[in-house]
Structures are given as structure tokens and as C-alpha cells.
Amino acid sequence: MPHLLARIGRQSPAVLLLVALLLLAGIGWIDVVTPLAVEPLYLLPISLATWAGGRGGGLVWAGGSAAFLILADFTSRGYATPLLPLWNTLINFSMFLCFSLVLSWARTLTRERLQQEQDRAALLARTDALKTELLQAVSHDVRTPLAAIKTSITILLDTEGHWSSTSQRTLLEGINEQCNRLTRLVGQLLDISRIDGGMLQLERDWYALDEIVPRVIAQLGSVLAAHPVQTACAPDLPLIWLDFTRIEQVLTNLLENAAKYTPAGTPIAVTAHVAEEWIWVCVQDGGPGIPAADRAGLFAPFAARRVPGRPLGTGLGLSIVRGIVVAHGGQITAAPPPDGGWVVQFTLPLGRPGAGPSAARRLQASPGAADGPARSSLPQPQPES
Amino acid sequence: MSGVTILVIEDDPAVSQAVAIGLAGYGFTPQVAATGAEGYRQAVGVPAPAVVLLDLGLPDEDGLALCIRIRAASAVPIIILTARGAEHEKVSALESGADDYVTKPFGLRELLARVRVALRHNVARAGPPPPMIRIGELWISLDHRQVARAGTPVHLTPTEFALLAALVHNAGRVCTHRMLLQTIRGAGYGADTALLRVYIAQLRAKLEPHAATPRYIQTEPGVGYRLTGWDEG
């Protein structure tokens, strides 16, 4: 039966209306020339008309069908009582109502199922695309450091050429740097696959953001050496329910990017303030901004920007940053601010999910309360590789 | 080799640095360019480099397009450095005027061997070909169309000889399938690699001490063949 209905449903509206018209004519003829009680059969053309013409079509058909029925009753049998035609009309319109309800319910169901199938197909396609990109990225990003390592090692093993100890030292330092690059890449690939698979585990606790920011800046030391960094955290920042290492990773990455893509001497500003139920963190630089062509898909994996004379990044950094922020329940955006440069800002929710939005405020009001977090609960610094 | 300038067009500083140090250790003078524009300027500039090492994945320009541009302006040997390992890319580079390629990651010896072959061909282009060529235990006279293996004359059919001559002319360098097929059958036979494999097998059977583990005619998978053993002679 559902199969038959589906087949009928696939017909064009014109065919359905034609069938409905023929049915109406046939039933009308039987109704008028025979003494058979075929009034209920009028309901079939109504269902077909509703199917083909939607609610408007069904309503018009139900009215027309009722009028036809009354006319048939009067002409063939000469009923003078108004009750029966009224009853027939009522039946006609009720049938239309019932059928149109059933139909819209069925259509919603079908649409939902179609949507689900499309979603699943889109997810598969995305996973597939990610896999291909991953393979391409791996083949490029792994081979390039490997090429440098291999060439360097074959030089160091060579006994016929002549190299100064300075050159050999440079080669060894290069090998060390390329090993770090590969280690970083493996970590990033693991992160991105965890984020993409929704497997990112956050170790959250209450932390003060205005303690994380100076820490990250201190750790970045040489990277930020050429850039004056200003920090402006609002004095009344509440504690945030976050994963310390991951948010540190977010800030490290944003600051590294700001330093990497702007000329030396460009100032970088980190600000944090509270607005409504969110804490807003902005990393702004006074650099040349990002070319419009590179802005789309800025947060997509493998969207690395090429900077001549610099090894091409994996393009995983911002994608991981977004994954971490989203896992915290926040959002991240990037845009050129009106006063030039580039700004990336992300939000983190105040309070703890499930504990109500006012939890953080309460905690802030009484930081020494028995159930409140201690502001000094920073973890020990992780050894940097 | 002292003072011979080699231009390295490579955007990754780690790779170009290692290559430059490696070449310098053998007395070459390396020059590094990190972009296509800079590379082109140095490749066709004065003094001209003796060999160009060109990375195909450059930030500002398609490596193949740059290869064509350099070839249009200069006869300098171009050796492609490719990290992608895609054979069709190597073939298009070779057909766009590149002389040879090295697949990343490569060792210093491999790179030096390619550079030396390229330099030798650059010198050989100027003078007449030598009357007798010795490769390992093979003696080949292109003028008299005679080949001897370990002192014993070897009879080659005209097609086999044409194929061998093409390989000898490019000794040490890779020859693409299309290039070899056009030598033996003329233009239009560029796609029939099965035919080429048959002739190569015949040639190996006559010239190689062990046809299964060829010493002279090496297969470059997906690209073509290379005659090696020159340096041993």
C-alpha cells in the first residue's frame, strides 16, 4: 500500500486532477442514474485533488464536489429538505480536512527522512573530502621536512665532500627543527581528527583568563620578540569553566599567527571583557590584514596561507582553535576591524553548562566560598617540546 | 667543478639550505631563490647558472609554467625537485623542457649524480659526439652502428639500435616513454607503451648480463627509462 501511494504521489498534478475529474464524472453518473447510495465515493476525487493541488486545490474541489452533490440530489431525486445536502457538504469538507492533515503529516515525514539522508550523505562527503585533504596534506607536509632531513643526513654521512663544522652544525640544527615540525604536525593531525570526530576531551576547571594571557605571552618569548604586545583584561573578569591547556593552545596559536603574518614591529593587542553571558577575547594586530581571497574558509582545515620564504603551514592551527572554542560552547570570528589590521575574537560562556548562567557571577562575588574555585588553581607548567 | 653555479629554486628554507650546503661541500656555488619570480630572474640573468634545480610547488607560480618560461629563455639544464611523487607531473615537466627530476626525499649522492649528468650534457651539446662510447662492458659506435658486449659483437635490429641510440644520447638522463616511442616509430606512437616494453625487453636480453636485474637500462616507473653505468666506465 505505501508503495502504491508513493507511485500515485509521483504522478504529475495534472494527471491526478484528470483522474479526479473522471472519477467525479463516473460517480456522478452512477449517483444520478442509479438508486445506489454512492455518496461516500465522492470523497476519493477530493483526496486526489488535495494531493495534486495542495490545500487550495483540495478546498476548491471539496466545494465543487459538494455543490455537484447537492445539484445531483435536487435534479435526480428532487429532495426538498435542506438537511441532506448540508450533511453531504459537511462530509465533503471534513474529508478534505482529514486528508489534507494526513497528507501534510506524511509529507513532513518524507521531508524529514530526505533531510536526514541528505545530511548523512553530506557528512560522508565531508569526511571523504577531509580524508583526501588529510592524505594530500600528509604527503606534502611530511615529505618536505623528510626531504630536508634526508638530504642533511646524507651530507653528514658523506665522506668525500668538504664541510666546515659550522655547516655541519647548521645541518644538525636543521634536522632538529624539522623533527619538531613533524612532531607538531602529528599532534595537530591527532587534534583535528579528535575534533572532527567529536572526541575532544576537555579537562575543565575554574580558571582566571587574565592569568592565562600573560603566561602564553611569556612562553612565546622569542616568537613575539619583534612585536610590542599590549594586554587589556577588564578588571572584573569572572573565573571561566575551561580546559587550561586547550585555551592556552588557542591563545598561543592566535598570537603566533599574528606574529607570523605581520611585519616586524607591528603591535599586537590581546583584550578580554564580559558582555551579557559571555567573555569576549580579542587578538588584534595592526598588520596588512588578510587578502579577501584567503578569508573564505579561514577556519577550514588545510587552508594555509602562503608566505614567500617561509615554510608553508599545515593550515590546521585555526581549524583546531575553532574546534577547541566550539567544544567549550563558544564561538570564533575573524574580521578586519575599522581601524585596520586583523582581529580574531572568540567567546566563552560564563558559568558552567547546566549550573545556570548566574553561577560564575555568584562565584565571582564570593571567591572564597566553600563550593567556589580557588583562583590559584593553575596547573603546573607543561614541559614544552 | 669549482665555481660552477647551481641555482636552487625552492620555497622551503630547510630544504634549500640543506641542498645549498651539500652542493657547496663539493665545490659548487649554490644560489637560492625562494619564489618563482626571483628564480626566473636568476635563471636567465648574468652570470647564468650552470644547472637549475626547480621545486614544482612554489608559492607564487606554477612550477611547470616556470619551467616552460625558463626553457623559452635559456638552454640551462633544469632538474625538477618534486615532493609529490606524481608520475604524470614528472612526465609533463620533462615534456615542458625539464632535463631530469629527483623525487623528494632525495640523498646527496642522487642529487649530485643528476647534476653531473646535466653538466656533462651541457658540455657535450657543444662538441661532436665521441666515435666510441663505453658504458660498463658495452662498446657502442653510433657512427658505425656497431655494439659490442664484453668484446663480442652484438647484432641489433634497426629499431633496437635507434632505441639504444636515443638512450645513449641521453645517457644518465631519464627518457620518457613518449620520447623513446617517437624516436623509433615517429610522431603519433606516443601512447603505445606496451610496444616500447617489448623493444626494451629485447634490448635488455641482448645487452644486459642479467636481463631480470638490469644494470644499464633502468626502468623509471610511470615515466620512462634511463641508461646508467656511464660513471663506472
Side-chain angles (χ1 to χ4, degrees), chain A residues 210-260:
Chain A
D210 47 4
E211 287 180 41
I212 304 180
V213 174
R215 198 179 129 103
V216 169
I217 292 171
Q219 277 173 359
L220 281 174
S222 63
V223 178
L224 296 173
H227 301 265
V229 183
Q230 299 166 343
T231 55
C233 294
D236 57 342
L237 285 186
L239 296 181
I240 313 288
W241 179 245
L242 53 79
D243 182 323
F244 189 89
T245 335
R246 290 297 185 183
I247 292 299
E248 213 178 40
Q249 195 182 347
V250 166
L251 282 166
T252 305
N253 202 292
L254 294 181
L255 283 167
E256 266 178 353
N257 271 357
K260 190 158 121 188

Side-chain angles (χ1 to χ4, degrees), chain B residues 12-28:
Chain B
D12 195 280
V15 177
S16 58
Q17 186 188 48
V19 169
I21 291 176
L23 290 172
Y26 275 87
F28 294 102

Side-chain angles (χ1 to χ4, degrees), chain A:
Chain A
M1 190 65 183
H3 182 67
L4 183 69
L5 280 179
R7 272 188 69 178
I8 295 170
R10 274 200 296 273
Q11 303 303 320
S12 76
V15 171
L16 288 176
L17 280 175
L18 189 70
V19 173
L21 199 68
L22 287 174
L23 269 174
L24 184 68
I27 296 160
W29 181 78
I30 296 167
D31 194 11
V32 171
V33 302
T34 67
L36 294 171
V38 291
E39 281 84 357
L41 288 181
Y42 280 104
L43 308 180
L44 194 61
I46 297 177
S47 56
L48 282 177
T50 314
W51 200 321
R55 275 188 203 143
L59 199 63
V60 169
W61 196 281
S65 173
F68 182 84
L69 200 56
I70 295 165
L71 197 71
D73 279 349
F74 271 115
T75 49
S76 63
R77 290 163 206 151
Y79 289 129
T81 54
L83 211 58
L84 193 65
L86 275 180
W87 173 245
N88 279 336
T89 313
L90 193 66
I91 294 279
N92 267 299
F93 280 100
S94 318
M95 181 60 196
F96 153 72
L97 204 63
C98 285
F99 193 76
S100 99
L101 281 178
V102 167
L103 199 68
S104 76
W105 172 73
R107 277 187 179 153
T108 313
L109 265 190
T110 317
R111 208 177 303 130
E112 269 172 12
R113 199 181 308 144
L114 268 178
Q115 189 62 46
Q116 276 174 3
E117 270 168 25
Q118 276 172 0
D119 286 353
R120 205 174 312 140
L123 184 73
L124 275 179
R126 206 165 57 86
T127 316
D128 223 42
L130 190 77
K131 248 183 222 160
T132 314
E133 279 172 345
L134 205 70
L135 272 177
Q136 281 170 355
V138 165
S139 72
H140 178 266
D141 296 340
V142 172
R143 270 192 186 162
T144 307
L146 272 183
I149 292 172
K150 167 102 181 174
T151 309
S152 303
I153 289 180
T154 53
I155 293 169
L156 291 169
L157 288 174
D158 195 284
T159 49
E160 288 172 25
H162 303 285
W163 290 278
S164 65
S165 56
T166 322
S167 293
Q168 290 177 351
R169 173 103 203 147
T170 312
L171 290 173
L172 286 170
E173 279 165 1
I175 292 171
N176 187 36
E177 172 53 37
Q178 297 310 306
C179 287
N180 289 344
R181 193 169 153 189
L182 283 172
T183 311
R184 231 168 16 239
L185 173 70
V186 171
Q188 285 184 330
L189 286 174
L190 280 175
D191 278 349
I192 202 73
S193 66
R194 278 193 200 116
I195 287 168
D196 200 62
M199 303 287 280
L200 189 70
Q201 298 278 339
L202 294 180
E203 312 241 332
R204 296 171 95 159
D205 207 333
W206 297 100
Y207 293 110
L209 202 70
D210 47 4
E211 287 180 41
I212 304 180
V213 174
R215 198 179 129 103
V216 169
I217 292 171
Q219 277 173 359
L220 281 174
S222 63
V223 178
L224 296 173
H227 301 265
V229 183
Q230 299 166 343
T231 55
C233 294
D236 57 342
L237 285 186
L239 296 181
I240 313 288
W241 179 245
L242 53 79
D243 182 323
F244 189 89
T245 335
R246 290 297 185 183
I247 292 299
E248 213 178 40
Q249 195 182 347
V250 166
L251 282 166
T252 305
N253 202 292
L254 294 181
L255 283 167
E256 266 178 353
N257 271 357
K260 190 158 121 188
Y261 293 114
T262 58
T266 310
I268 299 169
V270 186
T271 58
H273 66 275
V274 171
E276 292 169 0
E277 301 299 331
W278 304 91
I279 187 161
W280 291 73
V281 185
C282 306
V283 176
Q284 182 170 357
D285 66 59
I290 295 179
D294 289 345
R295 285 184 197 169
L298 197 63
F299 291 102
F302 312 112
R305 289 170 56 203
R306 278 195 172 274
V307 179
R310 215 181 267 284
L312 179 69
T314 54
L316 289 173
L318 272 185
S319 169
I320 292 168
V321 160
R322 185 184 59 178
I324 293 171
V325 170
V326 169
H328 276 82
Q331 286 182 337
I332 187 162
T333 55
D339 50 337
W342 191 254
V343 63
V344 181
Q345 51 185 352
F346 66 90
T347 59
L348 295 174
L350 294 182
R352 183 175 170 170
S358 59
R361 295 233 173 103
R362 215 171 46 239
L363 290 165
Q364 188 196 6
S366 55
D371 60 337
R375 277 181 74 94
S376 58
S377 58
L378 290 175
Q380 289 305 303
Q382 303 285 319
E384 289 297 312
S385 58

